[in-house]
């Protein structure tokens, strides 16, 4: 039997053992604490840096947005954003709003007034409407004045014959849907309705382009050489015209220049001396065939056909409108961008008004001036109503989105939300006042004689568009 240790010695050994164990575990605990402290310190050092980098990136994105306009011309030049209605009361609308505003920074902190101003410019650009300046309206009023006894330019005087030629885009993109129908179906519907309303003795023609091949590179040469006169210039026959339209199937590229050159051949025997020739070019995009459409349009305009040109863009994007506007400018014609069959029909109806006046001119000139002024007044009213709707839609879209981001997403403080809402109201009040002032000026000028009115309009809006 082993001898027992005294109680006191046993306690001493137990104490030493406990101390030893405690010392063995201490380095491990210290290392873990050091690692945790290091990780915490690293996080503290890197997270603010990451937040700063993200904030700087957000501010750079905002800085690229155009500043608020100070004139209607600057307003017109702003690229349009998402212009359709969005309801943040519905899940689909909230998802879309989140996507449209995902690039906007979180301003729930304490942003400066300058940062809030940049933020407003950024959110405005998301819902920017495609505002139209007065130039297009003035060109439209000039078009409506065809036949006015005060016009000295022979091009705009009524002649014995009235000829209307429609040049229609049949490229592949015309298969795209606008609502419940394709662009081509909408165009066919609008053109058919238009020609039915022309006076009995009006001649009408229909030329198409881009209807052969496909949009592939291998078919480019074929498609870019495709343009066909499917309804030669003649009086309207419903059966023949409908049959001609059935040939129009959207397919390939967009040879606008080719179509204009061929149209010049179509009208070669209809000299401007005895014919009032009106041409409508309908396209849903720029020429994709490197065929110098602006030069082709200028050649047609300068020929002895002396046509009056009208260009209609069918849902053309902001960048694509530039070339079509250049064609209109080169031919001193009108340019309008439409989004559906109704819009296209409304633009083609302008030619119906001219045709009715031509018919009246052939029968009697009594009451012509009053008719001219009435039509101008309606054009001014219609223009103002369209722009007013854009103003209302844009203000509401921005206002609703600000409230959504504040209430539902907590991305701004109450003070920031109130500031941005006030700014939204003030900015759109300015737009309203500018368009009201323009309308009053146009209506006053409409009471002048044609010569004086056009001179005043051109001096104020066409030669000095930077200060409407």
């Amino acid at each position: 039997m082993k001898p027992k240790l005294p109680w006191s010695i046993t306690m001493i050994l137990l104490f030493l053992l406990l101390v030893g164990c405690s010392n063995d575990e201490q380095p491990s605990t210290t290392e873990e604490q050091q690692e945790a402290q290091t990780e915490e310190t690293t996080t503290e050092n890197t997270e603010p840096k990451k937040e700063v980098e993200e904030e700087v990136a957000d501010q750079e994105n905002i800085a690229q947005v155009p500043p608020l306009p100070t004139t209607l011309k600057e307003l017109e030049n702003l690229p349009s954003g998402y212009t359709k209605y969005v309801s943040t009361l519905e899940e689909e609308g909230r998802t879309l709003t989140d996507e449209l505003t995902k690039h906007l920074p979180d301003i729930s902190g304490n942003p400066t007034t300058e940062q809030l101003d940049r933020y407003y410019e950024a959110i405005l650009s998301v819902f920017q409407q495609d505002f139209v300046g007065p130039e297009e309206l003035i060109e439209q009023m000039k078009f409506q004045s065809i036949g006015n006894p005060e016009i000295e330019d022979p091009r705009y005087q009524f002649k014995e014959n009235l000829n209307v030629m429609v040049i229609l885009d049949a490229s592949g993109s015309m298969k795209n849907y606008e609502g419940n129908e394709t662009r081509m179906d909408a165009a066919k519907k609008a053109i058919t309705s238009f020609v039915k309303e022309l006076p009995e003795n009006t001649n009408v023609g229909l030329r198409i382009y881009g209807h052969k091949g496909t949009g592939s590179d291998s078919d480019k040469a074929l498609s870019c050489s495709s343009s066909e006169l499917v309804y030669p210039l003649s009086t309207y026959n419903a059966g023949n015209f409908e049959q001609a339209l059935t040939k129009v199937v959207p397919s390939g590229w967009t040879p606008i220049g080719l179509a204009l050159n061929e149209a010049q051949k179509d009208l070669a025997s209809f000299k401007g001396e005895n014919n009032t020739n009106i041409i409508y070019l309908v396209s849903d995009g720029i020429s994709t065939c490197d065929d110098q459409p602006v030069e082709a349009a200028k050649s047609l305009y300068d020929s002895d056909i002396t046509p009056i040109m009208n260009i209609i863009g069918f849902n053309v994007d902001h960048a694509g409108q530039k070339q079509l506007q250049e064609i209109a400018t080169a031919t001193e014609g009108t340019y309008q961008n439409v989004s559906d069959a109704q819009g296209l029909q409304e633009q083609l109806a302008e030619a119906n008004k001219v045709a009715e006046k031509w018919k009246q001119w052939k029968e009697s000139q009594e009451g012509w001036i009053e008719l001219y002024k009435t039509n101008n007044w309606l054009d001014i009213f219609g223009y103002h109503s369209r722009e007013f709707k854009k103003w209302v839609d844009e203000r509401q879209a921005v206002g609703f989105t600000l409230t959504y981001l504040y209430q539902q997403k907590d991305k701004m403080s109450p003070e920031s939300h109130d500031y941005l809402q006030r700014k939204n109201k003030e900015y759109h009040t300015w737009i309203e006042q500018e368009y009201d002032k323009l309308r009053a000026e146009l209506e006053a000028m409409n009471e002048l004689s044609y010569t004086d009115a056009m001179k005043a309009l051109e001096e104020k809006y066409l030669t000095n568009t930077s200060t409407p």
Side-chain angles (χ1 to χ4, degrees):
M1 177 179 291
K2 293 183 180 180
K4 294 183 178 179
L5 293 174
W7 180 85
S8 60
I9 296 175
T10 302
M11 293 299 295
I12 292 171
L13 291 174
L14 179 61
F15 174 78
L16 292 174
L17 178 63
L18 290 173
V19 171
C21 291
S22 175
N23 289 338
D24 289 342
E25 293 176 358
Q26 185 64 33
S28 175
T29 303
T30 303
E31 288 175 4
E32 290 177 359
Q33 289 176 344
Q34 288 176 345
E35 290 177 1
Q37 290 175 354
T38 301
E39 183 178 352
E40 183 177 353
T41 303
T42 303
T43 302
E44 290 176 354
N45 290 337
T46 58
E47 285 300 320
K49 181 178 180 182
K50 181 180 180 182
E51 291 177 2
V52 170
E53 289 175 350
E54 290 178 349
E55 182 177 351
V56 170
D58 287 334
Q59 293 301 325
E60 288 178 352
N61 288 335
I62 291 179
Q64 296 173 0
V65 175
L68 296 184
T70 57
T71 67
L72 288 183
K73 185 61 178 177
E74 292 177 358
L75 178 65
E76 178 187 13
N77 288 336
L78 291 177
S80 61
Y82 189 87
T83 59
K84 297 180 181 179
Y85 177 72
V86 182
S87 173
T88 53
L89 298 177
E90 301 173 358
E91 181 62 30
E92 183 179 355
R94 291 192 291 270
T95 300
L96 177 58
T97 300
D98 291 341
E99 179 65 23
L100 292 172
T101 60
K102 66 181 182 181
H103 66 289
L104 297 178
D106 187 317
I107 54 171
S108 56
N110 188 28
T112 65
T113 299
E114 183 179 357
Q115 288 173 329
L116 287 174
D117 289 342
R118 300 292 82 76
Y119 186 93
Y120 179 75
E121 292 167 1
I123 195 171
L124 177 67
S125 69
V126 173
F127 301 102
Q128 179 66 50
Q129 290 284 324
D130 188 15
F131 287 98
V132 176
E135 295 81 14
E136 292 181 10
L137 172 63
I138 294 169
E139 293 299 340
Q140 182 173 307
M141 290 170 64
K142 288 174 66 177
F143 173 69
Q144 283 291 339
S145 69
I146 295 173
N148 191 312
E150 295 184 37
I151 295 180
E152 297 180 359
D153 188 344
R155 185 188 300 270
Y156 295 95
Q157 295 171 357
F158 278 140
K159 314 295 181 2
E160 185 63 25
N161 304 301
L162 178 62
N163 307 311
V164 180
M165 173 69 75
V166 178
I167 306 175
L168 176 62
D169 186 353
S171 62
S173 54
M174 289 291 284
K175 292 185 291 188
N176 293 344
Y177 274 83
E178 299 299 339
N180 297 325
E181 59 185 351
T182 66
R183 294 176 183 173
M184 180 55 72
D185 288 339
K188 288 181 178 180
K189 181 188 300 182
I191 291 170
T192 299
S193 178
F194 160 59
V195 296
K196 283 182 179 179
E197 298 298 322
L198 290 171
E200 184 178 354
N201 295 322
T202 306
N203 292 319
V204 60
L206 176 63
R207 173 171 282 279
I208 61 176
Y209 58 94
H211 60 296
K212 293 183 179 180
T214 65
S216 65
D217 290 338
S218 60
D219 278 349
K220 182 175 181 179
L222 170 63
S223 187
C224 286
S225 62
S226 63
S227 182
E228 182 181 351
L229 183 65
V230 294
Y231 193 89
L233 200 62
S234 58
T235 55
Y236 172 66
N237 179 283
N240 293 342
F241 196 85
E242 183 177 352
Q243 185 178 4
L245 276 178
T246 60
K247 297 181 180 180
V248 187
V249 179
S251 179
W253 296 65
T254 314
I256 295 177
L258 170 67
L260 290 170
N261 286 329
E262 293 299 306
Q264 185 169 343
K265 299 175 184 177
D266 300 334
L267 294 164
S269 60
F270 298 89
K271 308 300 183 185
E273 183 179 357
N274 299 312
N275 295 272
T276 297
N277 295 312
I278 301 175
I279 295 177
Y280 273 102
L281 172 67
V282 181
S283 178
D284 71 343
I286 62 174
S287 176
T288 55
C289 292
D290 304 318
D291 53 359
Q292 290 80 45
V294 177
E295 290 78 0
K298 191 69 168 64
S299 174
L300 173 56
Y301 178 75
D302 290 338
S303 70
D304 56 7
I305 299 167
T306 62
I308 299 164
M309 303 285 290
N310 300 279
I311 315 301
I312 300 177
F314 203 150
N315 228 345
V316 181
D317 59 28
H318 189 82
Q321 291 183 42
K322 183 178 179 181
Q323 185 186 80
L324 297 180
Q325 287 175 325
E326 287 178 357
I327 293 175
T329 300
T331 58
E332 299 185 56
T334 66
Y335 173 77
Q336 296 289 336
N337 190 49
V338 302
S339 59
D340 52 26
Q342 181 180 352
L344 179 56
Q345 179 60 56
E346 289 173 356
Q347 289 308 310
L348 291 173
E350 298 300 317
N352 287 120
K353 295 178 183 178
V354 171
E356 282 300 320
K357 287 190 288 186
W358 170 76
K359 179 182 178 182
Q360 184 178 3
W361 169 79
K362 294 193 73 172
E363 297 172 353
S364 170
Q365 294 193 34
E366 293 181 7
W368 196 99
I369 294 299
E370 286 306 314
L371 177 62
Y372 161 71
K373 288 185 177 180
T374 299
N375 284 339
N376 276 353
W377 187 89
L378 291 172
D379 288 339
I380 294 169
F381 175 79
Y383 165 76
H384 185 270
S385 298
R386 289 190 297 273
E387 299 310 300
F388 181 82
K389 182 180 184 302
K390 295 175 185 177
W391 164 78
V392 172
D393 289 349
E394 182 180 275
R395 183 190 66 173
Q396 290 183 343
V398 173
F400 290 160
T401 303
L402 286 172
T403 299
Y404 169 75
L405 294 176
Y406 163 56
Q407 293 183 345
Q408 304 296 323
K409 294 296 182 179
D410 296 324
K411 287 193 172 183
M412 63 185 69
S413 67
E415 294 76 16
S416 294
H417 174 260
D418 291 345
Y419 177 86
L420 292 169
Q421 289 286 18
R422 286 196 303 272
K423 191 172 186 68
N424 190 43
K425 180 180 179 181
E426 291 169 0
Y427 171 65
H428 286 95
T429 297
W430 170 78
I431 295 179
E432 180 185 22
Q433 292 172 345
E434 289 295 302
Y435 273 107
D436 284 346
K437 182 170 64 175
L438 172 61
R439 176 179 178 177
E441 292 175 348
L442 292 174
E443 289 180 343
M445 290 177 183
N446 190 36
E447 294 302 316
L448 301 174
S449 69
Y450 169 79
T451 303
D452 292 340
M454 284 300 113
K455 181 179 179 182
L457 288 170
E458 289 175 349
E459 287 179 352
K460 186 172 182 62
Y461 294 109
L462 300 186
T463 61
N464 191 23
T465 54
S466 61
T467 56

